[in-house]
PDB file of all heavy atoms in Angstrom:
ATOM      1  N   ALA A 478     -16.128  44.396  -6.621  1.00  0.00           N
ATOM      2  CA  ALA A 478     -16.089  43.340  -7.635  1.00  0.00           C
ATOM      3  C   ALA A 478     -17.472  43.254  -8.285  1.00  0.00           C
ATOM      4  O   ALA A 478     -18.368  42.609  -7.743  1.00  0.00           O
ATOM      5  CB  ALA A 478     -15.701  42.007  -7.012  1.00  0.00           C
ATOM      6  N   PRO A 479     -17.658  43.913  -9.434  1.00  0.00           N
ATOM      7  CA  PRO A 479     -18.972  43.879 -10.081  1.00  0.00           C
ATOM      8  C   PRO A 479     -19.138  42.639 -10.955  1.00  0.00           C
ATOM      9  O   PRO A 479     -18.168  41.948 -11.279  1.00  0.00           O
ATOM     10  CB  PRO A 479     -18.954  45.145 -10.941  1.00  0.00           C
ATOM     11  CG  PRO A 479     -17.514  45.307 -11.311  1.00  0.00           C
ATOM     12  CD  PRO A 479     -16.719  44.802 -10.130  1.00  0.00           C
ATOM     13  N   ASN A 480     -20.395  42.368 -11.310  1.00  0.00           N
ATOM     14  CA  ASN A 480     -20.742  41.295 -12.266  1.00  0.00           C
ATOM     15  C   ASN A 480     -20.222  39.928 -11.846  1.00  0.00           C
ATOM     16  O   ASN A 480     -19.811  39.118 -12.684  1.00  0.00           O
ATOM     17  CB  ASN A 480     -20.219  41.636 -13.660  1.00  0.00           C
ATOM     18  CG  ASN A 480     -20.816  42.915 -14.203  1.00  0.00           C
ATOM     19  OD1 ASN A 480     -22.021  43.150 -14.064  1.00  0.00           O
ATOM     20  ND2 ASN A 480     -19.981  43.769 -14.780  1.00  0.00           N
ATOM     21  N   VAL A 481     -20.227  39.687 -10.565  1.00  0.00           N
ATOM     22  CA  VAL A 481     -19.863  38.358 -10.064  1.00  0.00           C
ATOM     23  C   VAL A 481     -21.145  37.532  -9.978  1.00  0.00           C
ATOM     24  O   VAL A 481     -22.097  37.913  -9.296  1.00  0.00           O
ATOM     25  CB  VAL A 481     -19.184  38.428  -8.688  1.00  0.00           C
ATOM     26  CG1 VAL A 481     -18.945  37.022  -8.130  1.00  0.00           C
ATOM     27  CG2 VAL A 481     -17.877  39.198  -8.780  1.00  0.00           C
ATOM     28  N   ASN A 482     -21.165  36.422 -10.689  1.00  0.00           N
ATOM     29  CA  ASN A 482     -22.297  35.505 -10.635  1.00  0.00           C
ATOM     30  C   ASN A 482     -22.030  34.443  -9.583  1.00  0.00           C
ATOM     31  O   ASN A 482     -20.947  33.842  -9.563  1.00  0.00           O
ATOM     32  CB  ASN A 482     -22.525  34.839 -11.983  1.00  0.00           C
ATOM     33  CG  ASN A 482     -22.968  35.829 -13.042  1.00  0.00           C
ATOM     34  OD1 ASN A 482     -23.835  36.658 -12.807  1.00  0.00           O
ATOM     35  ND2 ASN A 482     -22.356  35.761 -14.217  1.00  0.00           N
ATOM     36  N   GLY A 483     -23.020  34.207  -8.724  1.00  0.00           N
ATOM     37  CA  GLY A 483     -22.784  33.217  -7.685  1.00  0.00           C
ATOM     38  C   GLY A 483     -24.050  32.827  -6.955  1.00  0.00           C
ATOM     39  O   GLY A 483     -25.172  33.114  -7.392  1.00  0.00           O
ATOM     40  N   TYR A 484     -23.836  32.151  -5.837  1.00  0.00           N
ATOM     41  CA  TYR A 484     -24.926  31.627  -5.019  1.00  0.00           C
ATOM     42  C   TYR A 484     -24.595  31.848  -3.556  1.00  0.00           C
ATOM     43  O   TYR A 484     -23.421  31.858  -3.159  1.00  0.00           O
ATOM     44  CB  TYR A 484     -25.122  30.125  -5.247  1.00  0.00           C
ATOM     45  CG  TYR A 484     -25.554  29.741  -6.634  1.00  0.00           C
ATOM     46  CD1 TYR A 484     -24.628  29.622  -7.661  1.00  0.00           C
ATOM     47  CD2 TYR A 484     -26.891  29.490  -6.925  1.00  0.00           C
ATOM     48  CE1 TYR A 484     -25.017  29.264  -8.936  1.00  0.00           C
ATOM     49  CE2 TYR A 484     -27.299  29.130  -8.199  1.00  0.00           C
ATOM     50  CZ  TYR A 484     -26.352  29.019  -9.203  1.00  0.00           C
ATOM     51  OH  TYR A 484     -26.746  28.658 -10.471  1.00  0.00           O
ATOM     52  N   VAL A 485     -25.643  32.006  -2.752  1.00  0.00           N
ATOM     53  CA  VAL A 485     -25.517  31.951  -1.297  1.00  0.00           C
ATOM     54  C   VAL A 485     -26.131  30.623  -0.864  1.00  0.00           C
ATOM     55  O   VAL A 485     -27.287  30.328  -1.190  1.00  0.00           O
ATOM     56  CB  VAL A 485     -26.227  33.122  -0.608  1.00  0.00           C
ATOM     57  CG1 VAL A 485     -26.173  32.949   0.909  1.00  0.00           C
ATOM     58  CG2 VAL A 485     -25.586  34.445  -1.012  1.00  0.00           C
ATOM     59  N   PHE A 486     -25.350  29.840  -0.149  1.00  0.00           N
ATOM     60  CA  PHE A 486     -25.793  28.530   0.313  1.00  0.00           C
ATOM     61  C   PHE A 486     -26.035  28.567   1.809  1.00  0.00           C
ATOM     62  O   PHE A 486     -25.237  29.141   2.570  1.00  0.00           O
ATOM     63  CB  PHE A 486     -24.742  27.457   0.005  1.00  0.00           C
ATOM     64  CG  PHE A 486     -24.545  27.202  -1.457  1.00  0.00           C
ATOM     65  CD1 PHE A 486     -23.560  27.879  -2.170  1.00  0.00           C
ATOM     66  CD2 PHE A 486     -25.343  26.285  -2.135  1.00  0.00           C
ATOM     67  CE1 PHE A 486     -23.370  27.644  -3.512  1.00  0.00           C
ATOM     68  CE2 PHE A 486     -25.164  26.048  -3.485  1.00  0.00           C
ATOM     69  CZ  PHE A 486     -24.185  26.734  -4.178  1.00  0.00           C
ATOM     70  N   ALA A 487     -27.146  27.974   2.238  1.00  0.00           N
ATOM     71  CA  ALA A 487     -27.425  27.757   3.649  1.00  0.00           C
ATOM     72  C   ALA A 487     -27.050  26.318   3.976  1.00  0.00           C
ATOM     73  O   ALA A 487     -27.595  25.379   3.395  1.00  0.00           O
ATOM     74  CB  ALA A 487     -28.895  28.013   3.955  1.00  0.00           C
ATOM     75  N   VAL A 488     -26.105  26.159   4.890  1.00  0.00           N
ATOM     76  CA  VAL A 488     -25.543  24.852   5.196  1.00  0.00           C
ATOM     77  C   VAL A 488     -25.628  24.603   6.693  1.00  0.00           C
ATOM     78  O   VAL A 488     -25.308  25.494   7.494  1.00  0.00           O
ATOM     79  CB  VAL A 488     -24.072  24.762   4.730  1.00  0.00           C
ATOM     80  CG1 VAL A 488     -23.487  23.391   5.068  1.00  0.00           C
ATOM     81  CG2 VAL A 488     -23.957  25.039   3.246  1.00  0.00           C
ATOM     82  N   ASP A 489     -26.061  23.414   7.066  1.00  0.00           N
ATOM     83  CA  ASP A 489     -26.025  22.991   8.467  1.00  0.00           C
ATOM     84  C   ASP A 489     -24.667  22.352   8.708  1.00  0.00           C
ATOM     85  O   ASP A 489     -24.443  21.175   8.418  1.00  0.00           O
ATOM     86  CB  ASP A 489     -27.158  22.016   8.762  1.00  0.00           C
ATOM     87  CG  ASP A 489     -27.255  21.686  10.257  1.00  0.00           C
ATOM     88  OD1 ASP A 489     -26.528  22.303  11.051  1.00  0.00           O
ATOM     89  OD2 ASP A 489     -28.060  20.793  10.603  1.00  0.00           O
ATOM     90  N   SER A 490     -23.728  23.146   9.213  1.00  0.00           N
ATOM     91  CA  SER A 490     -22.349  22.694   9.363  1.00  0.00           C
ATOM     92  C   SER A 490     -22.246  21.628  10.441  1.00  0.00           C
ATOM     93  O   SER A 490     -22.831  21.750  11.521  1.00  0.00           O
ATOM     94  CB  SER A 490     -21.447  23.876   9.714  1.00  0.00           C
ATOM     95  OG  SER A 490     -20.118  23.447   9.906  1.00  0.00           O
ATOM     96  N   GLY A 491     -21.485  20.579  10.129  1.00  0.00           N
ATOM     97  CA  GLY A 491     -21.284  19.490  11.071  1.00  0.00           C
ATOM     98  C   GLY A 491     -22.332  18.411  10.990  1.00  0.00           C
ATOM     99  O   GLY A 491     -22.171  17.330  11.561  1.00  0.00           O
ATOM    100  N   SER A 492     -23.413  18.689  10.285  1.00  0.00           N
ATOM    101  CA  SER A 492     -24.467  17.694  10.145  1.00  0.00           C
ATOM    102  C   SER A 492     -24.174  16.814   8.943  1.00  0.00           C
ATOM    103  O   SER A 492     -23.497  17.220   7.998  1.00  0.00           O
ATOM    104  CB  SER A 492     -25.818  18.388   9.963  1.00  0.00           C
ATOM    105  OG  SER A 492     -26.847  17.452   9.725  1.00  0.00           O
ATOM    106  N   GLY A 493     -24.659  15.599   8.954  1.00  0.00           N
ATOM    107  CA  GLY A 493     -24.456  14.697   7.835  1.00  0.00           C
ATOM    108  C   GLY A 493     -25.221  15.153   6.608  1.00  0.00           C
ATOM    109  O   GLY A 493     -26.164  15.948   6.687  1.00  0.00           O
ATOM    110  N   ALA A 494     -24.786  14.670   5.430  1.00  0.00           N
ATOM    111  CA  ALA A 494     -25.433  15.047   4.184  1.00  0.00           C
ATOM    112  C   ALA A 494     -26.886  14.604   4.183  1.00  0.00           C
ATOM    113  O   ALA A 494     -27.260  13.607   4.814  1.00  0.00           O
ATOM    114  CB  ALA A 494     -24.690  14.423   3.003  1.00  0.00           C
ATOM    115  N   ALA A 495     -27.706  15.375   3.480  1.00  0.00           N
ATOM    116  CA  ALA A 495     -29.130  15.066   3.381  1.00  0.00           C
ATOM    117  C   ALA A 495     -29.608  15.434   1.985  1.00  0.00           C
ATOM    118  O   ALA A 495     -29.046  16.319   1.345  1.00  0.00           O
ATOM    119  CB  ALA A 495     -29.928  15.817   4.437  1.00  0.00           C
ATOM    120  N   PRO A 496     -30.647  14.774   1.487  1.00  0.00           N
ATOM    121  CA  PRO A 496     -31.106  15.044   0.126  1.00  0.00           C
ATOM    122  C   PRO A 496     -31.690  16.444  -0.019  1.00  0.00           C
ATOM    123  O   PRO A 496     -32.303  16.988   0.904  1.00  0.00           O
ATOM    124  CB  PRO A 496     -32.184  13.974  -0.108  1.00  0.00           C
ATOM    125  CG  PRO A 496     -31.947  12.941   0.948  1.00  0.00           C
ATOM    126  CD  PRO A 496     -31.375  13.664   2.111  1.00  0.00           C
ATOM    127  N   LEU A 497     -31.504  17.008  -1.209  1.00  0.00           N
ATOM    128  CA  LEU A 497     -32.128  18.272  -1.583  1.00  0.00           C
ATOM    129  C   LEU A 497     -32.641  18.104  -3.000  1.00  0.00           C
ATOM    130  O   LEU A 497     -31.854  17.868  -3.923  1.00  0.00           O
ATOM    131  CB  LEU A 497     -31.125  19.425  -1.501  1.00  0.00           C
ATOM    132  CG  LEU A 497     -31.677  20.816  -1.848  1.00  0.00           C
ATOM    133  CD1 LEU A 497     -32.758  21.222  -0.869  1.00  0.00           C
ATOM    134  CD2 LEU A 497     -30.548  21.848  -1.872  1.00  0.00           C
ATOM    135  N   SER A 498     -33.947  18.214  -3.180  1.00  0.00           N
ATOM    136  CA  SER A 498     -34.571  17.863  -4.453  1.00  0.00           C
ATOM    137  C   SER A 498     -35.190  19.070  -5.125  1.00  0.00           C
ATOM    138  O   SER A 498     -35.568  20.060  -4.466  1.00  0.00           O
ATOM    139  CB  SER A 498     -35.657  16.799  -4.245  1.00  0.00           C
ATOM    140  OG  SER A 498     -35.123  15.623  -3.694  1.00  0.00           O
ATOM    141  N   THR A 499     -35.303  18.960  -6.453  1.00  0.00           N
ATOM    142  CA  THR A 499     -36.098  19.923  -7.202  1.00  0.00           C
ATOM    143  C   THR A 499     -37.567  19.531  -7.073  1.00  0.00           C
ATOM    144  O   THR A 499     -37.884  18.363  -6.813  1.00  0.00           O
ATOM    145  CB  THR A 499     -35.699  19.919  -8.673  1.00  0.00           C
ATOM    146  OG1 THR A 499     -35.893  18.595  -9.210  1.00  0.00           O
ATOM    147  CG2 THR A 499     -34.241  20.294  -8.846  1.00  0.00           C
ATOM    148  N   PRO A 500     -38.497  20.472  -7.247  1.00  0.00           N
ATOM    149  CA  PRO A 500     -39.914  20.098  -7.245  1.00  0.00           C
ATOM    150  C   PRO A 500     -40.219  19.119  -8.375  1.00  0.00           C
ATOM    151  O   PRO A 500     -39.642  19.195  -9.463  1.00  0.00           O
ATOM    152  CB  PRO A 500     -40.631  21.438  -7.457  1.00  0.00           C
ATOM    153  CG  PRO A 500     -39.632  22.476  -7.061  1.00  0.00           C
ATOM    154  CD  PRO A 500     -38.288  21.921  -7.389  1.00  0.00           C
ATOM    155  N   SER A 501     -41.089  18.185  -8.130  1.00  0.00           N
ATOM    156  CA  SER A 501     -41.471  17.209  -9.150  1.00  0.00           C
ATOM    157  C   SER A 501     -42.266  17.907 -10.247  1.00  0.00           C
ATOM    158  O   SER A 501     -43.088  18.793  -9.993  1.00  0.00           O
ATOM    159  CB  SER A 501     -42.295  16.080  -8.537  1.00  0.00           C
ATOM    160  OG  SER A 501     -41.514  15.351  -7.613  1.00  0.00           O
ATOM    161  N   VAL A 502     -41.994  17.516 -11.484  1.00  0.00           N
ATOM    162  CA  VAL A 502     -42.683  18.082 -12.640  1.00  0.00           C
ATOM    163  C   VAL A 502     -43.254  16.943 -13.472  1.00  0.00           C
ATOM    164  O   VAL A 502     -42.907  15.767 -13.293  1.00  0.00           O
ATOM    165  CB  VAL A 502     -41.726  18.945 -13.498  1.00  0.00           C
ATOM    166  CG1 VAL A 502     -41.191  20.109 -12.701  1.00  0.00           C
ATOM    167  CG2 VAL A 502     -40.572  18.081 -14.028  1.00  0.00           C
ATOM    168  N   THR A 503     -44.129  17.290 -14.384  1.00  0.00           N
ATOM    169  CA  THR A 503     -44.707  16.310 -15.307  1.00  0.00           C
ATOM    170  C   THR A 503     -44.625  16.859 -16.717  1.00  0.00           C
ATOM    171  O   THR A 503     -44.509  18.072 -16.936  1.00  0.00           O
ATOM    172  CB  THR A 503     -46.165  16.007 -14.960  1.00  0.00           C
ATOM    173  OG1 THR A 503     -46.917  17.221 -15.033  1.00  0.00           O
ATOM    174  CG2 THR A 503     -46.292  15.404 -13.572  1.00  0.00           C
ATOM    175  N   SER A 504     -44.649  15.945 -17.673  1.00  0.00           N
ATOM    176  CA  SER A 504     -44.646  16.333 -19.076  1.00  0.00           C
ATOM    177  C   SER A 504     -45.486  15.334 -19.839  1.00  0.00           C
ATOM    178  O   SER A 504     -45.471  14.133 -19.535  1.00  0.00           O
ATOM    179  CB  SER A 504     -43.215  16.359 -19.627  1.00  0.00           C
ATOM    180  OG  SER A 504     -43.215  16.601 -21.019  1.00  0.00           O
ATOM    181  N   GLY A 505     -46.208  15.806 -20.838  1.00  0.00           N
ATOM    182  CA  GLY A 505     -47.100  14.900 -21.552  1.00  0.00           C
ATOM    183  C   GLY A 505     -46.522  14.317 -22.811  1.00  0.00           C
ATOM    184  O   GLY A 505     -47.139  13.453 -23.427  1.00  0.00           O
ATOM    185  N   THR A 506     -45.338  14.757 -23.222  1.00  0.00           N
ATOM    186  CA  THR A 506     -44.768  14.316 -24.496  1.00  0.00           C
ATOM    187  C   THR A 506     -43.370  13.774 -24.280  1.00  0.00           C
ATOM    188  O   THR A 506     -42.470  14.510 -23.883  1.00  0.00           O
ATOM    189  CB  THR A 506     -44.707  15.477 -25.502  1.00  0.00           C
ATOM    190  OG1 THR A 506     -46.005  16.040 -25.635  1.00  0.00           O
ATOM    191  CG2 THR A 506     -44.228  14.978 -26.845  1.00  0.00           C
ATOM    192  N   GLY A 507     -43.192  12.512 -24.554  1.00  0.00           N
ATOM    193  CA  GLY A 507     -41.875  11.910 -24.451  1.00  0.00           C
ATOM    194  C   GLY A 507     -41.453  11.639 -23.022  1.00  0.00           C
ATOM    195  O   GLY A 507     -42.072  12.105 -22.053  1.00  0.00           O
ATOM    196  N   ILE A 508     -40.398  10.854 -22.885  1.00  0.00           N
ATOM    197  CA  ILE A 508     -39.844  10.565 -21.564  1.00  0.00           C
ATOM    198  C   ILE A 508     -39.283  11.852 -20.976  1.00  0.00           C
ATOM    199  O   ILE A 508     -38.612  12.630 -21.667  1.00  0.00           O
ATOM    200  CB  ILE A 508     -38.762   9.485 -21.672  1.00  0.00           C
ATOM    201  CG1 ILE A 508     -39.395   8.156 -22.148  1.00  0.00           C
ATOM    202  CG2 ILE A 508     -38.042   9.284 -20.353  1.00  0.00           C
ATOM    203  CD1 ILE A 508     -38.384   7.081 -22.444  1.00  0.00           C
ATOM    204  N   TYR A 509     -39.556  12.097 -19.704  1.00  0.00           N
ATOM    205  CA  TYR A 509     -39.093  13.323 -19.081  1.00  0.00           C
ATOM    206  C   TYR A 509     -38.439  13.005 -17.736  1.00  0.00           C
ATOM    207  O   TYR A 509     -38.523  11.893 -17.219  1.00  0.00           O
ATOM    208  CB  TYR A 509     -40.246  14.317 -18.898  1.00  0.00           C
ATOM    209  CG  TYR A 509     -41.315  13.874 -17.926  1.00  0.00           C
ATOM    210  CD1 TYR A 509     -41.252  14.209 -16.568  1.00  0.00           C
ATOM    211  CD2 TYR A 509     -42.408  13.125 -18.356  1.00  0.00           C
ATOM    212  CE1 TYR A 509     -42.235  13.817 -15.673  1.00  0.00           C
ATOM    213  CE2 TYR A 509     -43.394  12.715 -17.474  1.00  0.00           C
ATOM    214  CZ  TYR A 509     -43.304  13.065 -16.129  1.00  0.00           C
ATOM    215  OH  TYR A 509     -44.263  12.662 -15.247  1.00  0.00           O
ATOM    216  N   ILE A 510     -37.784  14.023 -17.192  1.00  0.00           N
ATOM    217  CA  ILE A 510     -37.104  13.916 -15.891  1.00  0.00           C
ATOM    218  C   ILE A 510     -38.008  14.566 -14.863  1.00  0.00           C
ATOM    219  O   ILE A 510     -38.234  15.780 -14.899  1.00  0.00           O
ATOM    220  CB  ILE A 510     -35.731  14.601 -15.940  1.00  0.00           C
ATOM    221  CG1 ILE A 510     -34.875  13.983 -17.042  1.00  0.00           C
ATOM    222  CG2 ILE A 510     -35.021  14.514 -14.597  1.00  0.00           C
ATOM    223  CD1 ILE A 510     -33.703  14.830 -17.457  1.00  0.00           C
ATOM    224  N   SER A 511     -38.542  13.760 -13.951  1.00  0.00           N
ATOM    225  CA  SER A 511     -39.532  14.299 -13.005  1.00  0.00           C
ATOM    226  C   SER A 511     -38.879  15.072 -11.875  1.00  0.00           C
ATOM    227  O   SER A 511     -39.442  16.039 -11.376  1.00  0.00           O
ATOM    228  CB  SER A 511     -40.379  13.159 -12.433  1.00  0.00           C
ATOM    229  OG  SER A 511     -39.578  12.286 -11.640  1.00  0.00           O
ATOM    230  N   ASN A 512     -37.683  14.690 -11.447  1.00  0.00           N
ATOM    231  CA  ASN A 512     -37.003  15.425 -10.379  1.00  0.00           C
ATOM    232  C   ASN A 512     -35.540  15.029 -10.338  1.00  0.00           C
ATOM    233  O   ASN A 512     -35.154  13.960 -10.844  1.00  0.00           O
ATOM    234  CB  ASN A 512     -37.646  15.175  -9.017  1.00  0.00           C
ATOM    235  CG  ASN A 512     -37.561  13.710  -8.621  1.00  0.00           C
ATOM    236  OD1 ASN A 512     -36.519  13.247  -8.173  1.00  0.00           O
ATOM    237  ND2 ASN A 512     -38.654  12.971  -8.790  1.00  0.00           N
TER     238      ASN A 512
END
Side-chain angles (χ1 to χ4, degrees):
N480 299 317
V481 174
N482 294 314
Y484 296 82
V485 175
F486 294 93
V488 179
D489 187 6
S490 178
S492 176
L497 181 63
S498 300
T499 59
S501 296
V502 299
T503 60
S504 174
T506 305
I508 295 173
Y509 66 91
I510 302 162
S511 66
N512 62 79

